[in-house]
Amino acid sequence: GCLLLLRFFVNFPSAKQYFSQFQDMEEPEEMERSSQLRHHACRVMNALNTVVENLHDPEKVSSVLAVVGRAHAVKHKVEPMYFKILSGVILEVLCEDFPEFFTADVQLVWSKLMATVYWHVTGAYTDVGWLQVSSKQSSPVHTIPLPGN
Ligand code: HEM
């Protein structure tokens, strides 16, 4: 979790603006020591773990992610595009760190998983009036183009 978030904040420094403790930090080593970063890493991984463990239960998946989306929209006021960016970073790091496990099929299902996360999270943003409702957003995006497609 920490490695994912470190990559995210190093490559997309504007995402640090939401975190009072390390928004002005530049050095990854310093950021890594931030309890706020480590805490958020645990929260992200726990939420993803709950989603994976409940893939058989769509209502649970949607309620967990609705809570996440609502908190980020209303409480933390995070621009929703950062969820898409973080999804890309998660896929990138998992592919790099587990090359033997992350075959093309596994990459595809993880892309679908992260697209589902994004769809539910942005659905919550729409519900609280942040995003415009668009007919193109009426169903989950089931595939994210892989490099080369
Ligand atoms: C899959 C993606 C993510 C998950 C599962 C996730 C999960 C969580 C959870 C469970 C919390 C605690 C909720 C609460 O305060 O009620 C939280 C807090 C927070 N999240 Fe996220 N998050 C994600 C992505 C992001 C992104 C992309 C940003 C901003 C760039 C962000 C910024 C924050 C901030 C600022 C807090 C409050 C931190 C604090 O109070 O110390 N999150 N996140």
Side-chain angles (χ1 to χ4, degrees):
C2 288
L3 289 178
L4 297 175
L5 286 185
L6 271 181
R7 173 85 62 98
F8 176 55
F9 293 124
V10 168
N11 288 357
F12 303 93
S14 63
K16 290 184 289 185
Q17 67 183 288
Y18 304 103
F19 294 87
S20 52
Q21 210 181 76
F22 58 90
Q23 56 190 358
D24 298 322
M25 290 182 190
E26 300 283 342
E27 296 304 318
E29 294 77 16
E30 198 187 356
M31 277 192 258
E32 201 176 358
R33 289 193 292 271
S34 155
S35 57
Q36 198 179 28
L37 186 144
R38 305 184 77 82
H39 198 192
H40 190 249
C42 281
R43 285 166 152 176
V44 172
M45 299 315 281
N46 278 335
L48 288 181
N49 193 49
T50 305
V51 169
V52 170
E53 283 183 343
N54 289 283
L55 283 175
H56 59 281
D57 183 350
E59 290 193 359
K60 174 81 178 173
V61 168
S62 92
S63 73
V64 167
L65 293 173
V67 171
V68 169
R70 211 173 304 122
H72 287 75
V74 176
K75 222 194 306 177
H76 310 306
K77 310 210 181 313
V78 170
E79 189 57 51
M81 68 156 181
Y82 286 112
F83 278 87
K84 184 159 268 182
I85 298 172
L86 179 59
S87 295
V89 172
I90 291 175
L91 296 174
E92 187 181 274
V93 173
L94 290 176
C95 284
E96 276 176 29
D97 286 1
F98 303 101
E100 293 187 2
F101 177 69
F102 260 69
T103 58
D105 284 353
V106 177
Q107 284 183 41
L108 187 63
V109 290
W110 270 84
S111 295
K112 286 184 182 177
L113 177 77
M114 296 315 299
T116 303
V117 169
Y118 183 70
W119 186 77
H120 283 288
V121 165
T122 50
Y125 275 74
T126 306
D127 290 346
V128 299
W130 184 308
L131 292 169
Q132 294 283 311
V133 180
S134 145
S135 56
K136 288 188 185 140
Q137 288 181 336
S138 59
S139 61
V141 180
H142 282 302
T143 52
I144 292 180
L146 293 169
N149 288 346

